[in-house]
Amino acid sequence: MINYHPNDDMLLEHAKGSLSLAMTTALSAHCELCSICQEKLTTMTQQHAHIALIEEDAAADELETSIDLDDMLNSIMLLTPSSTSERLSQSAIVTVKGHEYQLPKAFRQQVRETWNGLGKISRMRLETDSGDARASLLHIDAGGEIPEHTHQGTELTLLLAGHFEDEFNRYGPGDFILLDSDHQHTPKTEDGCLCYTVVDAPLRFTKGISKLLNPIGELIY
Amino acid sequence: MQNIQSQRSQSRYAKGYVLYNKPYMEEKNSDITTEQLKEKLISVANSRSRSDYAMLFSYFAPKILAFGHQRLSTQGLAMDLVQETMTAVWTKAHLFDADKGAVTTWIFTIMRNRCFDMLRKVQHNREDTVSDDIWPIFETAEHVEPEDHMLTNKLMKHVDELPPLQQQIVRGIYLQELSQQELASKLNVPLGTVKSRLRLGLVKLRSILEKHHD
């Protein structure tokens, strides 16, 4: 049972294709796991397609007068139909600490080979489009914990497998958790978990000795 | 202002590419129903109808261009977006699955995905195409890949059977992917000659293929 979902604004921006790669990947992966949001997304995409391709008359008229598209039309019609659908439907599989996970399709071309580890925490850094954002797959072994921390920006966690708890709640696979700088939390996991996280600024740790970890906050997330 | 407006809408009809289906086009664009768009696309898929494709093109291209302008800022990139999206509509019409959604949704999905990849390429120099993993395009599954190689081989054999001049043009356009204009200047012949040799070559190829399929 998925209890935490992206809000409608985020879903709509995802449908429009106007989010960053890191965020839009998280939404795509959530929708693959969550039939409720998948259905919403389908409806929103239909509605937005209608707005963009049926209703947008004024802007289109304006451009059309100055541009001649005849050559393009004719050159396209010379092409022969493609006989394959270039769909590659295999999903991404990652292995970490002896566990194998099948990831949502959005990750297919994004996963890398290497995990960096620190105790029970393993991290695979993924590509992001925007300079400050960090996107990672984060694996926490059973019994693992991340020191209490706050965020300078927002932190998105999409739980892909397993469970974890913080001061607020217990989370399960598919949960989409967005926290901002008002939140302090100490996530820990009993059974181990795999998450996709996007933070748009490095984490800051707040508690005692773990403040020492601040310089390596970047290393974990 | 009134005057400019009416000139604009006149020029829409003055363009060659909207003239295929005159009575139809004289209605306001938004009067075209979802059902009619579907019929057009299916006719492109089944019979490669040029007039129906031209109609879809004249309907969607300006809107894709407007979308491209908003997202990609430059005229050249917006035109690329129109080209890539409308090429997919022509070459993949048969993959459209009407049971899974509307024509507008299908075309929007292609456009949004291509645009996302283009933006990544322009802004971050990424050559990958992650968009189709992120937003799957609803298409009928086809399992024709092995056959495709055979078809290519077979086609190539038949291209060899064409008269040399036609062969040269067909190879130039489809294998080297030159434009007709490029080919004309390369071979130092008028554009019209390229066009007519290509047409003859394709007609010939079709008749060879038909013979072999009987």
PDB file of all heavy atoms in Angstrom, chain A residues 11-17 31 37-53, chain B residues 102 104-110 112-113 135-136 138:
ATOM      1  N   LEU A  11       2.743  16.144 -10.740  1.00  0.00           N
ATOM      2  CA  LEU A  11       2.336  15.198 -11.780  1.00  0.00           C
ATOM      3  C   LEU A  11       2.111  15.914 -13.109  1.00  0.00           C
ATOM      4  O   LEU A  11       2.520  15.444 -14.168  1.00  0.00           O
ATOM      5  CB  LEU A  11       1.044  14.478 -11.375  1.00  0.00           C
ATOM      6  CG  LEU A  11       1.186  13.209 -10.535  1.00  0.00           C
ATOM      7  CD1 LEU A  11      -0.189  12.710 -10.116  1.00  0.00           C
ATOM      8  CD2 LEU A  11       1.921  12.115 -11.303  1.00  0.00           C
ATOM      9  N   LEU A  12       1.474  17.073 -13.022  1.00  0.00           N
ATOM     10  CA  LEU A  12       1.187  17.824 -14.246  1.00  0.00           C
ATOM     11  C   LEU A  12       2.478  18.309 -14.912  1.00  0.00           C
ATOM     12  O   LEU A  12       2.642  18.195 -16.132  1.00  0.00           O
ATOM     13  CB  LEU A  12       0.263  19.010 -13.948  1.00  0.00           C
ATOM     14  CG  LEU A  12      -0.112  19.856 -15.169  1.00  0.00           C
ATOM     15  CD1 LEU A  12      -0.858  19.009 -16.204  1.00  0.00           C
ATOM     16  CD2 LEU A  12      -0.956  21.056 -14.769  1.00  0.00           C
ATOM     17  N   GLU A  13       3.408  18.819 -14.096  1.00  0.00           N
ATOM     18  CA  GLU A  13       4.683  19.265 -14.673  1.00  0.00           C
ATOM     19  C   GLU A  13       5.425  18.091 -15.317  1.00  0.00           C
ATOM     20  O   GLU A  13       6.082  18.239 -16.337  1.00  0.00           O
ATOM     21  CB  GLU A  13       5.569  19.927 -13.606  1.00  0.00           C
ATOM     22  CG  GLU A  13       5.032  21.258 -13.078  1.00  0.00           C
ATOM     23  CD  GLU A  13       4.690  22.248 -14.191  1.00  0.00           C
ATOM     24  OE1 GLU A  13       5.555  22.485 -15.062  1.00  0.00           O
ATOM     25  OE2 GLU A  13       3.558  22.778 -14.194  1.00  0.00           O
ATOM     26  N   HIS A  14       5.287  16.938 -14.697  1.00  0.00           N
ATOM     27  CA  HIS A  14       5.891  15.724 -15.257  1.00  0.00           C
ATOM     28  C   HIS A  14       5.222  15.378 -16.592  1.00  0.00           C
ATOM     29  O   HIS A  14       5.898  15.049 -17.580  1.00  0.00           O
ATOM     30  CB  HIS A  14       5.750  14.577 -14.254  1.00  0.00           C
ATOM     31  CG  HIS A  14       6.162  13.237 -14.793  1.00  0.00           C
ATOM     32  ND1 HIS A  14       7.442  12.979 -15.253  1.00  0.00           N
ATOM     33  CD2 HIS A  14       5.468  12.085 -14.965  1.00  0.00           C
ATOM     34  CE1 HIS A  14       7.502  11.718 -15.672  1.00  0.00           C
ATOM     35  NE2 HIS A  14       6.325  11.153 -15.515  1.00  0.00           N
ATOM     36  N   ALA A  15       3.902  15.475 -16.632  1.00  0.00           N
ATOM     37  CA  ALA A  15       3.170  15.187 -17.877  1.00  0.00           C
ATOM     38  C   ALA A  15       3.600  16.133 -18.993  1.00  0.00           C
ATOM     39  O   ALA A  15       3.720  15.744 -20.150  1.00  0.00           O
ATOM     40  CB  ALA A  15       1.667  15.292 -17.651  1.00  0.00           C
ATOM     41  N   LYS A  16       3.846  17.392 -18.614  1.00  0.00           N
ATOM     42  CA  LYS A  16       4.248  18.387 -19.617  1.00  0.00           C
ATOM     43  C   LYS A  16       5.689  18.202 -20.078  1.00  0.00           C
ATOM     44  O   LYS A  16       6.095  18.750 -21.088  1.00  0.00           O
ATOM     45  CB  LYS A  16       4.140  19.799 -19.033  1.00  0.00           C
ATOM     46  CG  LYS A  16       2.756  20.298 -18.781  1.00  0.00           C
ATOM     47  CD  LYS A  16       2.900  21.687 -18.173  1.00  0.00           C
ATOM     48  CE  LYS A  16       1.581  22.338 -17.878  1.00  0.00           C
ATOM     49  NZ  LYS A  16       1.812  23.629 -17.168  1.00  0.00           N
ATOM     50  N   GLY A  17       6.464  17.479 -19.275  1.00  0.00           N
ATOM     51  CA  GLY A  17       7.873  17.309 -19.617  1.00  0.00           C
ATOM     52  C   GLY A  17       8.710  18.489 -19.201  1.00  0.00           C
ATOM     53  O   GLY A  17       9.747  18.759 -19.789  1.00  0.00           O
ATOM     54  N   CYS A  31       5.040   6.418 -10.718  1.00  0.00           N
ATOM     55  CA  CYS A  31       3.839   6.068 -11.477  1.00  0.00           C
ATOM     56  C   CYS A  31       3.879   4.618 -11.955  1.00  0.00           C
ATOM     57  O   CYS A  31       2.838   3.979 -12.096  1.00  0.00           O
ATOM     58  CB  CYS A  31       3.638   7.010 -12.660  1.00  0.00           C
ATOM     59  SG  CYS A  31       3.153   8.667 -12.144  1.00  0.00           S
ATOM     60  N   CYS A  37      -1.614   7.003  -9.305  1.00  0.00           N
ATOM     61  CA  CYS A  37      -0.935   8.137  -9.934  1.00  0.00           C
ATOM     62  C   CYS A  37      -0.772   7.903 -11.436  1.00  0.00           C
ATOM     63  O   CYS A  37      -0.824   8.847 -12.221  1.00  0.00           O
ATOM     64  CB  CYS A  37       0.405   8.409  -9.276  1.00  0.00           C
ATOM     65  SG  CYS A  37       0.218   9.084  -7.616  1.00  0.00           S
ATOM     66  N   GLN A  38      -0.574   6.648 -11.821  1.00  0.00           N
ATOM     67  CA  GLN A  38      -0.461   6.333 -13.245  1.00  0.00           C
ATOM     68  C   GLN A  38      -1.736   6.756 -13.974  1.00  0.00           C
ATOM     69  O   GLN A  38      -1.691   7.345 -15.044  1.00  0.00           O
ATOM     70  CB  GLN A  38      -0.206   4.832 -13.436  1.00  0.00           C
ATOM     71  CG  GLN A  38      -0.068   4.403 -14.895  1.00  0.00           C
ATOM     72  CD  GLN A  38       1.075   5.135 -15.594  1.00  0.00           C
ATOM     73  OE1 GLN A  38       2.208   5.074 -15.175  1.00  0.00           O
ATOM     74  NE2 GLN A  38       0.759   5.850 -16.667  1.00  0.00           N
ATOM     75  N   GLU A  39      -2.863   6.465 -13.343  1.00  0.00           N
ATOM     76  CA  GLU A  39      -4.143   6.822 -13.952  1.00  0.00           C
ATOM     77  C   GLU A  39      -4.311   8.342 -14.052  1.00  0.00           C
ATOM     78  O   GLU A  39      -4.722   8.866 -15.074  1.00  0.00           O
ATOM     79  CB  GLU A  39      -5.266   6.230 -13.108  1.00  0.00           C
ATOM     80  CG  GLU A  39      -6.448   5.766 -13.911  1.00  0.00           C
ATOM     81  CD  GLU A  39      -7.328   4.860 -13.069  1.00  0.00           C
ATOM     82  OE1 GLU A  39      -6.942   3.690 -12.852  1.00  0.00           O
ATOM     83  OE2 GLU A  39      -8.365   5.356 -12.610  1.00  0.00           O
ATOM     84  N   LYS A  40      -3.950   9.018 -12.962  1.00  0.00           N
ATOM     85  CA  LYS A  40      -4.004  10.487 -12.969  1.00  0.00           C
ATOM     86  C   LYS A  40      -3.118  11.052 -14.077  1.00  0.00           C
ATOM     87  O   LYS A  40      -3.499  11.970 -14.792  1.00  0.00           O
ATOM     88  CB  LYS A  40      -3.489  11.035 -11.635  1.00  0.00           C
ATOM     89  CG  LYS A  40      -4.524  11.180 -10.566  1.00  0.00           C
ATOM     90  CD  LYS A  40      -3.904  12.044  -9.476  1.00  0.00           C
ATOM     91  CE  LYS A  40      -4.668  11.965  -8.174  1.00  0.00           C
ATOM     92  NZ  LYS A  40      -3.954  12.696  -7.106  1.00  0.00           N
ATOM     93  N   LEU A  41      -1.914  10.485 -14.175  1.00  0.00           N
ATOM     94  CA  LEU A  41      -0.957  10.966 -15.165  1.00  0.00           C
ATOM     95  C   LEU A  41      -1.511  10.792 -16.584  1.00  0.00           C
ATOM     96  O   LEU A  41      -1.382  11.678 -17.423  1.00  0.00           O
ATOM     97  CB  LEU A  41       0.365  10.214 -15.021  1.00  0.00           C
ATOM     98  CG  LEU A  41       1.460  10.591 -16.026  1.00  0.00           C
ATOM     99  CD1 LEU A  41       1.945  12.015 -15.788  1.00  0.00           C
ATOM    100  CD2 LEU A  41       2.639   9.623 -15.939  1.00  0.00           C
ATOM    101  N   THR A  42      -2.140   9.650 -16.818  1.00  0.00           N
ATOM    102  CA  THR A  42      -2.720   9.392 -18.131  1.00  0.00           C
ATOM    103  C   THR A  42      -3.767  10.446 -18.473  1.00  0.00           C
ATOM    104  O   THR A  42      -3.770  11.009 -19.570  1.00  0.00           O
ATOM    105  CB  THR A  42      -3.352   7.985 -18.161  1.00  0.00           C
ATOM    106  OG1 THR A  42      -2.354   7.041 -17.790  1.00  0.00           O
ATOM    107  CG2 THR A  42      -3.874   7.639 -19.538  1.00  0.00           C
ATOM    108  N   THR A  43      -4.637  10.729 -17.510  1.00  0.00           N
ATOM    109  CA  THR A  43      -5.663  11.752 -17.733  1.00  0.00           C
ATOM    110  C   THR A  43      -5.045  13.120 -17.970  1.00  0.00           C
ATOM    111  O   THR A  43      -5.426  13.840 -18.892  1.00  0.00           O
ATOM    112  CB  THR A  43      -6.601  11.826 -16.507  1.00  0.00           C
ATOM    113  OG1 THR A  43      -7.034  10.507 -16.210  1.00  0.00           O
ATOM    114  CG2 THR A  43      -7.795  12.711 -16.789  1.00  0.00           C
ATOM    115  N   MET A  44      -4.063  13.474 -17.137  1.00  0.00           N
ATOM    116  CA  MET A  44      -3.430  14.788 -17.284  1.00  0.00           C
ATOM    117  C   MET A  44      -2.729  14.912 -18.643  1.00  0.00           C
ATOM    118  O   MET A  44      -2.741  15.971 -19.252  1.00  0.00           O
ATOM    119  CB  MET A  44      -2.393  15.001 -16.186  1.00  0.00           C
ATOM    120  CG  MET A  44      -2.999  15.332 -14.850  1.00  0.00           C
ATOM    121  SD  MET A  44      -1.678  15.471 -13.637  1.00  0.00           S
ATOM    122  CE  MET A  44      -2.635  15.878 -12.176  1.00  0.00           C
ATOM    123  N   THR A  45      -2.093  13.828 -19.073  1.00  0.00           N
ATOM    124  CA  THR A  45      -1.387  13.864 -20.356  1.00  0.00           C
ATOM    125  C   THR A  45      -2.384  14.085 -21.488  1.00  0.00           C
ATOM    126  O   THR A  45      -2.145  14.894 -22.383  1.00  0.00           O
ATOM    127  CB  THR A  45      -0.596  12.559 -20.581  1.00  0.00           C
ATOM    128  OG1 THR A  45       0.225  12.331 -19.443  1.00  0.00           O
ATOM    129  CG2 THR A  45       0.277  12.644 -21.824  1.00  0.00           C
ATOM    130  N   GLN A  46      -3.513  13.389 -21.409  1.00  0.00           N
ATOM    131  CA  GLN A  46      -4.558  13.594 -22.421  1.00  0.00           C
ATOM    132  C   GLN A  46      -5.011  15.048 -22.449  1.00  0.00           C
ATOM    133  O   GLN A  46      -5.114  15.667 -23.503  1.00  0.00           O
ATOM    134  CB  GLN A  46      -5.774  12.727 -22.102  1.00  0.00           C
ATOM    135  CG  GLN A  46      -5.703  11.319 -22.638  1.00  0.00           C
ATOM    136  CD  GLN A  46      -6.757  10.437 -21.984  1.00  0.00           C
ATOM    137  OE1 GLN A  46      -7.655  10.922 -21.308  1.00  0.00           O
ATOM    138  NE2 GLN A  46      -6.613   9.143 -22.188  1.00  0.00           N
ATOM    139  N   GLN A  47      -5.290  15.566 -21.254  1.00  0.00           N
ATOM    140  CA  GLN A  47      -5.791  16.939 -21.184  1.00  0.00           C
ATOM    141  C   GLN A  47      -4.752  17.929 -21.687  1.00  0.00           C
ATOM    142  O   GLN A  47      -5.070  18.843 -22.446  1.00  0.00           O
ATOM    143  CB  GLN A  47      -6.176  17.285 -19.738  1.00  0.00           C
ATOM    144  CG  GLN A  47      -7.465  16.618 -19.316  1.00  0.00           C
ATOM    145  CD  GLN A  47      -7.690  16.692 -17.811  1.00  0.00           C
ATOM    146  OE1 GLN A  47      -6.783  17.083 -17.059  1.00  0.00           O
ATOM    147  NE2 GLN A  47      -8.871  16.305 -17.368  1.00  0.00           N
ATOM    148  N   HIS A  48      -3.514  17.706 -21.281  1.00  0.00           N
ATOM    149  CA  HIS A  48      -2.496  18.666 -21.701  1.00  0.00           C
ATOM    150  C   HIS A  48      -2.194  18.548 -23.190  1.00  0.00           C
ATOM    151  O   HIS A  48      -1.935  19.549 -23.857  1.00  0.00           O
ATOM    152  CB  HIS A  48      -1.223  18.534 -20.877  1.00  0.00           C
ATOM    153  CG  HIS A  48      -0.304  19.678 -21.111  1.00  0.00           C
ATOM    154  ND1 HIS A  48      -0.570  20.939 -20.648  1.00  0.00           N
ATOM    155  CD2 HIS A  48       0.828  19.768 -21.839  1.00  0.00           C
ATOM    156  CE1 HIS A  48       0.370  21.760 -21.069  1.00  0.00           C
ATOM    157  NE2 HIS A  48       1.239  21.072 -21.798  1.00  0.00           N
ATOM    158  N   ALA A  49      -2.257  17.335 -23.707  1.00  0.00           N
ATOM    159  CA  ALA A  49      -2.071  17.137 -25.151  1.00  0.00           C
ATOM    160  C   ALA A  49      -3.133  17.924 -25.904  1.00  0.00           C
ATOM    161  O   ALA A  49      -2.859  18.568 -26.923  1.00  0.00           O
ATOM    162  CB  ALA A  49      -2.169  15.656 -25.499  1.00  0.00           C
ATOM    163  N   HIS A  50      -4.344  17.882 -25.379  1.00  0.00           N
ATOM    164  CA  HIS A  50      -5.435  18.616 -26.014  1.00  0.00           C
ATOM    165  C   HIS A  50      -5.158  20.117 -26.001  1.00  0.00           C
ATOM    166  O   HIS A  50      -5.317  20.802 -27.002  1.00  0.00           O
ATOM    167  CB  HIS A  50      -6.744  18.304 -25.287  1.00  0.00           C
ATOM    168  CG  HIS A  50      -7.952  18.751 -26.036  1.00  0.00           C
ATOM    169  ND1 HIS A  50      -8.529  17.984 -27.020  1.00  0.00           N
ATOM    170  CD2 HIS A  50      -8.666  19.894 -25.983  1.00  0.00           C
ATOM    171  CE1 HIS A  50      -9.560  18.631 -27.523  1.00  0.00           C
ATOM    172  NE2 HIS A  50      -9.670  19.797 -26.924  1.00  0.00           N
ATOM    173  N   ILE A  51      -4.697  20.599 -24.857  1.00  0.00           N
ATOM    174  CA  ILE A  51      -4.397  22.034 -24.759  1.00  0.00           C
ATOM    175  C   ILE A  51      -3.280  22.414 -25.735  1.00  0.00           C
ATOM    176  O   ILE A  51      -3.377  23.383 -26.472  1.00  0.00           O
ATOM    177  CB  ILE A  51      -3.992  22.400 -23.310  1.00  0.00           C
ATOM    178  CG1 ILE A  51      -5.204  22.252 -22.390  1.00  0.00           C
ATOM    179  CG2 ILE A  51      -3.438  23.816 -23.242  1.00  0.00           C
ATOM    180  CD1 ILE A  51      -4.876  22.300 -20.911  1.00  0.00           C
ATOM    181  N   ALA A  52      -2.216  21.610 -25.745  1.00  0.00           N
ATOM    182  CA  ALA A  52      -1.045  21.969 -26.555  1.00  0.00           C
ATOM    183  C   ALA A  52      -1.295  21.806 -28.049  1.00  0.00           C
ATOM    184  O   ALA A  52      -0.780  22.577 -28.853  1.00  0.00           O
ATOM    185  CB  ALA A  52       0.156  21.127 -26.134  1.00  0.00           C
ATOM    186  N   LEU A  53      -2.091  20.802 -28.431  1.00  0.00           N
ATOM    187  CA  LEU A  53      -2.192  20.487 -29.856  1.00  0.00           C
ATOM    188  C   LEU A  53      -3.544  20.818 -30.480  1.00  0.00           C
ATOM    189  O   LEU A  53      -3.695  20.787 -31.692  1.00  0.00           O
ATOM    190  CB  LEU A  53      -1.876  19.009 -30.094  1.00  0.00           C
ATOM    191  CG  LEU A  53      -0.421  18.609 -29.822  1.00  0.00           C
ATOM    192  CD1 LEU A  53      -0.226  17.120 -30.031  1.00  0.00           C
ATOM    193  CD2 LEU A  53       0.533  19.392 -30.715  1.00  0.00           C
TER     194      LEU A  53
ATOM    195  N   ALA B 102      -5.834   8.636 -27.575  1.00  0.00           N
ATOM    196  CA  ALA B 102      -6.185   9.476 -28.716  1.00  0.00           C
ATOM    197  C   ALA B 102      -4.956   9.831 -29.554  1.00  0.00           C
ATOM    198  O   ALA B 102      -3.831   9.778 -29.068  1.00  0.00           O
ATOM    199  CB  ALA B 102      -6.849  10.751 -28.222  1.00  0.00           C
ATOM    200  N   THR B 104      -4.084  12.772 -30.561  1.00  0.00           N
ATOM    201  CA  THR B 104      -3.389  13.942 -29.995  1.00  0.00           C
ATOM    202  C   THR B 104      -2.454  13.528 -28.875  1.00  0.00           C
ATOM    203  O   THR B 104      -1.355  14.059 -28.745  1.00  0.00           O
ATOM    204  CB  THR B 104      -4.376  14.981 -29.418  1.00  0.00           C
ATOM    205  OG1 THR B 104      -5.455  14.293 -28.803  1.00  0.00           O
ATOM    206  CG2 THR B 104      -4.879  15.905 -30.485  1.00  0.00           C
ATOM    207  N   THR B 105      -2.886  12.573 -28.054  1.00  0.00           N
ATOM    208  CA  THR B 105      -2.040  12.136 -26.946  1.00  0.00           C
ATOM    209  C   THR B 105      -0.787  11.445 -27.477  1.00  0.00           C
ATOM    210  O   THR B 105       0.318  11.656 -26.976  1.00  0.00           O
ATOM    211  CB  THR B 105      -2.809  11.178 -26.009  1.00  0.00           C
ATOM    212  OG1 THR B 105      -4.076  11.754 -25.719  1.00  0.00           O
ATOM    213  CG2 THR B 105      -2.051  10.948 -24.720  1.00  0.00           C
ATOM    214  N   TRP B 106      -0.970  10.643 -28.506  1.00  0.00           N
ATOM    215  CA  TRP B 106       0.173   9.936 -29.113  1.00  0.00           C
ATOM    216  C   TRP B 106       1.178  10.930 -29.677  1.00  0.00           C
ATOM    217  O   TRP B 106       2.380  10.866 -29.394  1.00  0.00           O
ATOM    218  CB  TRP B 106      -0.342   9.005 -30.216  1.00  0.00           C
ATOM    219  CG  TRP B 106       0.705   8.128 -30.842  1.00  0.00           C
ATOM    220  CD1 TRP B 106       1.433   7.145 -30.225  1.00  0.00           C
ATOM    221  CD2 TRP B 106       1.130   8.150 -32.215  1.00  0.00           C
ATOM    222  NE1 TRP B 106       2.273   6.553 -31.138  1.00  0.00           N
ATOM    223  CE2 TRP B 106       2.112   7.136 -32.358  1.00  0.00           C
ATOM    224  CE3 TRP B 106       0.773   8.915 -33.331  1.00  0.00           C
ATOM    225  CZ2 TRP B 106       2.746   6.879 -33.575  1.00  0.00           C
ATOM    226  CZ3 TRP B 106       1.393   8.637 -34.542  1.00  0.00           C
ATOM    227  CH2 TRP B 106       2.369   7.646 -34.671  1.00  0.00           C
ATOM    228  N   ILE B 107       0.683  11.881 -30.442  1.00  0.00           N
ATOM    229  CA  ILE B 107       1.581  12.864 -31.057  1.00  0.00           C
ATOM    230  C   ILE B 107       2.214  13.763 -29.997  1.00  0.00           C
ATOM    231  O   ILE B 107       3.400  14.062 -30.044  1.00  0.00           O
ATOM    232  CB  ILE B 107       0.845  13.694 -32.136  1.00  0.00           C
ATOM    233  CG1 ILE B 107       0.413  12.760 -33.278  1.00  0.00           C
ATOM    234  CG2 ILE B 107       1.731  14.825 -32.663  1.00  0.00           C
ATOM    235  CD1 ILE B 107      -0.331  13.435 -34.400  1.00  0.00           C
ATOM    236  N   PHE B 108       1.409  14.136 -29.001  1.00  0.00           N
ATOM    237  CA  PHE B 108       1.959  14.954 -27.920  1.00  0.00           C
ATOM    238  C   PHE B 108       3.096  14.217 -27.210  1.00  0.00           C
ATOM    239  O   PHE B 108       4.139  14.793 -26.905  1.00  0.00           O
ATOM    240  CB  PHE B 108       0.869  15.315 -26.902  1.00  0.00           C
ATOM    241  CG  PHE B 108       1.402  16.005 -25.668  1.00  0.00           C
ATOM    242  CD1 PHE B 108       1.720  17.354 -25.696  1.00  0.00           C
ATOM    243  CD2 PHE B 108       1.619  15.293 -24.498  1.00  0.00           C
ATOM    244  CE1 PHE B 108       2.238  17.986 -24.574  1.00  0.00           C
ATOM    245  CE2 PHE B 108       2.141  15.909 -23.369  1.00  0.00           C
ATOM    246  CZ  PHE B 108       2.448  17.262 -23.404  1.00  0.00           C
ATOM    247  N   THR B 109       2.877  12.922 -26.973  1.00  0.00           N
ATOM    248  CA  THR B 109       3.885  12.124 -26.284  1.00  0.00           C
ATOM    249  C   THR B 109       5.198  12.089 -27.078  1.00  0.00           C
ATOM    250  O   THR B 109       6.274  12.292 -26.520  1.00  0.00           O
ATOM    251  CB  THR B 109       3.363  10.687 -26.061  1.00  0.00           C
ATOM    252  OG1 THR B 109       2.156  10.760 -25.303  1.00  0.00           O
ATOM    253  CG2 THR B 109       4.364   9.840 -25.298  1.00  0.00           C
ATOM    254  N   ILE B 110       5.073  11.875 -28.380  1.00  0.00           N
ATOM    255  CA  ILE B 110       6.275  11.871 -29.225  1.00  0.00           C
ATOM    256  C   ILE B 110       6.965  13.232 -29.160  1.00  0.00           C
ATOM    257  O   ILE B 110       8.173  13.334 -28.956  1.00  0.00           O
ATOM    258  CB  ILE B 110       5.908  11.539 -30.687  1.00  0.00           C
ATOM    259  CG1 ILE B 110       5.343  10.113 -30.779  1.00  0.00           C
ATOM    260  CG2 ILE B 110       7.125  11.688 -31.598  1.00  0.00           C
ATOM    261  CD1 ILE B 110       4.741   9.782 -32.133  1.00  0.00           C
ATOM    262  N   ARG B 112       6.707  15.698 -26.873  1.00  0.00           N
ATOM    263  CA  ARG B 112       7.278  16.016 -25.563  1.00  0.00           C
ATOM    264  C   ARG B 112       8.579  15.232 -25.345  1.00  0.00           C
ATOM    265  O   ARG B 112       9.573  15.774 -24.864  1.00  0.00           O
ATOM    266  CB  ARG B 112       6.282  15.668 -24.461  1.00  0.00           C
ATOM    267  CG  ARG B 112       6.844  15.866 -23.060  1.00  0.00           C
ATOM    268  CD  ARG B 112       6.044  15.090 -22.043  1.00  0.00           C
ATOM    269  NE  ARG B 112       5.952  13.691 -22.425  1.00  0.00           N
ATOM    270  CZ  ARG B 112       5.007  12.860 -21.993  1.00  0.00           C
ATOM    271  NH1 ARG B 112       4.073  13.290 -21.172  1.00  0.00           N
ATOM    272  NH2 ARG B 112       4.999  11.602 -22.391  1.00  0.00           N
ATOM    273  N   ASN B 113       8.566  13.956 -25.721  1.00  0.00           N
ATOM    274  CA  ASN B 113       9.751  13.129 -25.514  1.00  0.00           C
ATOM    275  C   ASN B 113      10.937  13.623 -26.347  1.00  0.00           C
ATOM    276  O   ASN B 113      12.045  13.767 -25.835  1.00  0.00           O
ATOM    277  CB  ASN B 113       9.443  11.667 -25.850  1.00  0.00           C
ATOM    278  CG  ASN B 113       8.512  11.020 -24.834  1.00  0.00           C
ATOM    279  OD1 ASN B 113       7.908  11.713 -24.017  1.00  0.00           O
ATOM    280  ND2 ASN B 113       8.391   9.709 -24.893  1.00  0.00           N
ATOM    281  N   TRP B 135       8.752   8.248 -20.306  1.00  0.00           N
ATOM    282  CA  TRP B 135       7.343   8.269 -20.714  1.00  0.00           C
ATOM    283  C   TRP B 135       7.148   7.259 -21.840  1.00  0.00           C
ATOM    284  O   TRP B 135       7.343   7.606 -23.009  1.00  0.00           O
ATOM    285  CB  TRP B 135       6.936   9.643 -21.245  1.00  0.00           C
ATOM    286  CG  TRP B 135       7.051  10.775 -20.287  1.00  0.00           C
ATOM    287  CD1 TRP B 135       6.173  11.125 -19.313  1.00  0.00           C
ATOM    288  CD2 TRP B 135       8.086  11.779 -20.254  1.00  0.00           C
ATOM    289  NE1 TRP B 135       6.599  12.264 -18.670  1.00  0.00           N
ATOM    290  CE2 TRP B 135       7.768  12.684 -19.222  1.00  0.00           C
ATOM    291  CE3 TRP B 135       9.252  11.981 -20.994  1.00  0.00           C
ATOM    292  CZ2 TRP B 135       8.564  13.781 -18.922  1.00  0.00           C
ATOM    293  CZ3 TRP B 135      10.045  13.074 -20.684  1.00  0.00           C
ATOM    294  CH2 TRP B 135       9.700  13.950 -19.661  1.00  0.00           C
ATOM    295  N   PRO B 136       6.749   6.060 -21.509  1.00  0.00           N
ATOM    296  CA  PRO B 136       6.571   5.063 -22.575  1.00  0.00           C
ATOM    297  C   PRO B 136       5.532   5.548 -23.584  1.00  0.00           C
ATOM    298  O   PRO B 136       4.531   6.133 -23.197  1.00  0.00           O
ATOM    299  CB  PRO B 136       6.051   3.838 -21.821  1.00  0.00           C
ATOM    300  CG  PRO B 136       6.337   4.093 -20.384  1.00  0.00           C
ATOM    301  CD  PRO B 136       6.383   5.571 -20.200  1.00  0.00           C
ATOM    302  N   PHE B 138       2.656   4.751 -26.139  1.00  0.00           N
ATOM    303  CA  PHE B 138       1.765   3.610 -26.351  1.00  0.00           C
ATOM    304  C   PHE B 138       1.744   3.221 -27.816  1.00  0.00           C
ATOM    305  O   PHE B 138       1.355   3.961 -28.680  1.00  0.00           O
ATOM    306  CB  PHE B 138       0.350   3.849 -25.808  1.00  0.00           C
ATOM    307  CG  PHE B 138      -0.351   5.061 -26.331  1.00  0.00           C
ATOM    308  CD1 PHE B 138      -1.179   4.984 -27.443  1.00  0.00           C
ATOM    309  CD2 PHE B 138      -0.202   6.284 -25.702  1.00  0.00           C
ATOM    310  CE1 PHE B 138      -1.838   6.098 -27.921  1.00  0.00           C
ATOM    311  CE2 PHE B 138      -0.859   7.407 -26.170  1.00  0.00           C
ATOM    312  CZ  PHE B 138      -1.674   7.321 -27.282  1.00  0.00           C
TER     313      PHE B 138
END
